[in-house]
Amino acid sequence: MNEQKRILAVDDEPSMRRLLEIGLRQAGYQPLLAANGREALDLLRQQGADLIVSDLHMPGMGGLDLLRALRNDSNDIPVIIVTAQGEIGTAVDAMKLGASDYVLRPFDLDTLEIAIDRALSLTRLKLENQFLRDEVERDASDLIGDSAAMQRVKRAIQQVAPEKATAMIVGETGTGKELVARAIHQLSPRKDALFVAVNCAAIPGEMLESELFGHARGAFTGAIKDRVGKFELADGGTLFLDEVTEMPIALQAKLLRALQEGVIERLGSNRPTQVDIRIVAATNLDPLQAVKDGKLREDLYYRLNVFRIEVPPLRQRLQDIPQLAAFFLRLRQREISPGSMQMLQSYHWPGNVRELQNVLERAAIVSGQQTIAPEHLPADLLSHSTPAHHAVPMETEALSCSLPDAIEALELRLIKQALQQSGDNKSRAAKLLEISERSLWYKLGRYKIGS
């Protein structure tokens, strides 16, 4: 990873710049060189850098002035100050101005490399923490929909959020279980601490324990340093365990102990660490059936299932689709036709809200700058939906065409739509239509398409 990091070395002595250049290159970094602060600022504007190593005293603009200029410009690039033994006070001033570290002359390159690695790691940690804090700003307003089913979910969130009680969120894949968990956190007294999410199904079982509880240096091959786990990271906040029924049974016993005692131990360590967290778990399975199937410990089930929230599938709240569609299309500045909306509300949505989002993103791409029309929606959506504008009430209207003609007209339309969406790629079009490529070629000849 070091080869991607650009280190700007600033020193007015050519021999020192050369030494820094060689040392940084040997350490795997890409060195940039400047003779004073002014040159450093120019280089930053032109090429950018990940970190600065700067001498304290230089003609024109020294290290402190460079640091002030950077911070006044809201540039938070990490800066390591190089200073002499008798100038510790000045180095402390530099730290107060926002320097990441300082090294004393004369220094060896190993010392400098350690300081660089520490500063880059700290910067990365700050970025990750900022990302997590930005994430917690999302609140219950992300739960879109006014259907009775969604109103029940929102009421449940309001009830459980102020408490410390563990919550269990149950719902099909793609229904928005993590959004519910985030809303619980954001409306809780813990909202100023971190919301930390762990997908238990996405992490191999042998790695999940380290992910949750952390590990000590030397705990296993490759554990070259101590690592903080998600429990410690979420201390004071909320830990969301998604797809908890996918967690290995042996690890579930350790999770239960951590929940009951509020104490964890890093892998390879016997030092207990007290943690104060709120657990929210989620599963796309029936939890009781998971217990019967041996996928979830019964004692853990009762510990997690203190307050249960059922998130409804999209097919049970089709009236929310217009609001959801407006939300997803707002970023792309697209409109959707009434006919297309009817089709969306007539589909059964096995992939739930996530599938709806993907369908609309794809339709926005296919439609270009146009309003999304039925022909911009996937062929499988058209073939499995029964929009009102396709239905003809038998009691009130006479048939305008025969059934065979109507079937041929629909088949022709679907074929043309599949060809459009696949960029006239016959193989892809056949897959969209769920027929063989040979059958597609036959139908193309029959309807004289492309001939």
Side-chain angles (χ1 to χ4, degrees):
M1 193 168 72
N2 288 356
E3 67 273 14
Q4 299 175 355
K5 300 298 182 182
R6 300 156 68 90
I7 308 297
L8 174 55
V10 190
D11 199 296
D12 59 323
E13 297 181 15
S15 59
M16 180 56 70
R17 288 200 304 274
R18 179 59 179 160
L19 177 65
L20 288 170
E21 179 183 19
I22 294 172
L24 291 171
R25 201 177 299 279
Q26 287 177 346
Y29 297 108
Q30 180 180 347
L32 300 174
L33 305 176
N36 55 56
R38 293 291 178 196
E39 284 189 19
L41 290 175
D42 289 341
L43 265 176
L44 278 178
R45 281 190 288 266
Q46 295 167 12
Q47 301 184 46
D50 296 290
L51 181 142
I52 297 174
V53 177
S54 176
D55 190 19
L56 193 60
H57 298 294
M58 294 176 291
M61 178 183 279
L64 283 183
D65 291 333
L66 171 60
L67 188 56
R68 288 192 187 94
L70 291 169
R71 299 306 181 240
N72 289 339
D73 198 32
S74 299
N75 189 331
D76 58 357
I77 183 172
V79 177
I80 296 173
I81 292 293
V82 178
T83 184
Q85 184 71 42
E87 298 175 321
I88 299 297
T90 310
V92 171
D93 291 338
M95 298 292 287
K96 290 178 180 178
L97 285 173
S100 301
D101 206 345
Y102 68 89
V103 293
L104 299 176
R105 277 185 201 269
F107 58 85
D108 56 55
L109 292 175
D110 287 341
T111 300
L112 179 61
E113 188 177 347
I114 290 171
I116 291 173
D117 183 62
R118 184 166 54 225
L120 290 175
S121 297
L122 181 60
T123 300
R124 176 64 181 170
L125 182 60
K126 287 179 179 178
L127 288 173
E128 290 174 352
N129 282 343
Q130 186 59 51
F131 170 76
L132 290 169
R133 291 185 183 277
D134 290 343
E135 286 287 283
V136 303
E137 293 300 320
R138 302 169 62 183
D139 56 25
S141 63
D142 285 329
L143 296 171
I144 298 168
D146 296 321
S147 62
M150 283 307 295
Q151 290 295 342
R152 285 194 295 271
V153 171
K154 291 178 182 180
R155 282 196 298 272
I157 291 170
Q158 294 282 350
Q159 290 170 343
V160 75
E163 308 294 334
K164 190 181 177 179
T166 302
M168 171 76 87
I169 304 171
V170 180
E172 296 177 8
T173 298
T175 51
K177 297 187 291 295
E178 184 170 341
L179 281 180
V180 173
R182 288 181 183 277
I184 291 172
H185 173 76
Q186 186 60 25
L187 295 174
S188 77
R190 298 169 174 266
K191 65 179 182 179
D192 292 329
L194 292 180
F195 174 92
V196 179
V198 180
N199 188 332
C200 300
I203 303 171
E206 62 273 14
M207 296 175 58
L208 187 55
E209 181 176 359
S210 172
E211 190 73 17
L212 289 174
F213 302 121
H215 62 250
R217 179 180 179 181
F220 50 84
T221 304
I224 58 175
K225 58 182 179 180
D226 290 353
R227 185 174 188 272
V228 174
K230 294 297 191 287
F231 265 83
E232 289 180 75
L233 187 61
D235 191 23
T238 302
L239 179 63
F240 175 55
L241 300 176
D242 197 10
E243 307 303 349
V244 69
T245 50
E246 300 302 314
M247 182 182 295
I249 289 292
L251 185 53
Q252 289 184 25
K254 295 184 179 181
L255 172 61
L256 179 63
R257 177 176 176 269
L259 295 180
Q260 291 174 335
E261 300 179 10
V263 172
I264 64 163
E265 290 180 2
R266 290 184 183 180
L267 192 63
S269 169
N270 57 8
R271 183 173 62 86
T273 300
Q274 196 83 27
V275 289
D276 171 28
I277 60 173
R278 202 260 185 88
I279 292 287
V280 179
T283 178
N284 60 3
L285 303 178
D286 176 349
L288 279 176
Q289 188 60 48
V291 171
K292 293 177 183 177
D293 294 341
K295 294 179 67 68
L296 181 65
R297 287 177 59 108
E298 186 174 11
D299 48 5
L300 180 59
Y301 163 72
Y302 289 118
R303 184 65 181 79
L304 294 174
N305 197 49
V306 176
F307 192 97
R308 180 162 165 171
I309 299 178
E310 301 272 355
V311 184
L314 186 54
R315 62 182 174 275
Q316 292 181 9
R317 57 184 190 107
L318 295 173
Q319 60 267 49
D320 291 334
I321 286 181
Q323 285 179 270
L324 289 163
F327 176 80
F328 293 136
L329 293 174
R330 189 178 300 127
L331 294 177
R332 291 186 173 271
Q333 298 181 324
R334 294 288 186 280
E335 300 293 332
I336 186 168
S337 71
S340 299
M341 187 63 71
Q342 286 181 332
M343 290 179 62
L344 295 180
Q345 290 185 280
S346 301
Y347 185 56
H348 61 286
W349 298 108
N352 294 296
V353 178
R354 187 177 299 149
E355 183 184 7
L356 173 65
Q357 181 180 6
N358 292 340
V359 163
L360 289 172
E361 287 184 359
R362 179 183 179 185
I365 294 171
V366 172
S367 67
Q369 299 299 319
Q370 304 174 23
T371 296
I372 294 175
E375 58 266 24
H376 300 136
L377 297 174
D380 57 346
L381 188 88
L382 181 61
S383 61
H384 287 91
S385 62
T386 54
H389 67 283
H390 284 163
V392 181
M394 294 291 290
E395 302 83 1
T396 58
E397 295 188 24
L399 289 173
S400 60
C401 63
S402 67
L403 181 59
D405 288 343
I407 292 174
E408 285 191 1
L410 179 58
E411 186 175 61
L412 178 59
R413 180 180 177 183
L414 289 173
I415 291 172
K416 288 182 176 179
Q417 181 181 338
L419 290 171
Q420 180 184 8
Q421 290 185 11
S422 65
D424 207 36
N425 183 307
K426 305 301 188 292
S427 177
R428 288 175 56 198
K431 289 180 180 178
L432 287 172
L433 294 166
E434 297 183 8
I435 61 176
S436 67
E437 190 172 348
R438 181 177 178 182
S439 296
L440 176 60
W441 280 106
Y442 168 77
K443 294 178 185 294
L444 292 176
R446 178 182 174 190
Y447 292 120
K448 297 181 173 58
I449 299 175
S451 59

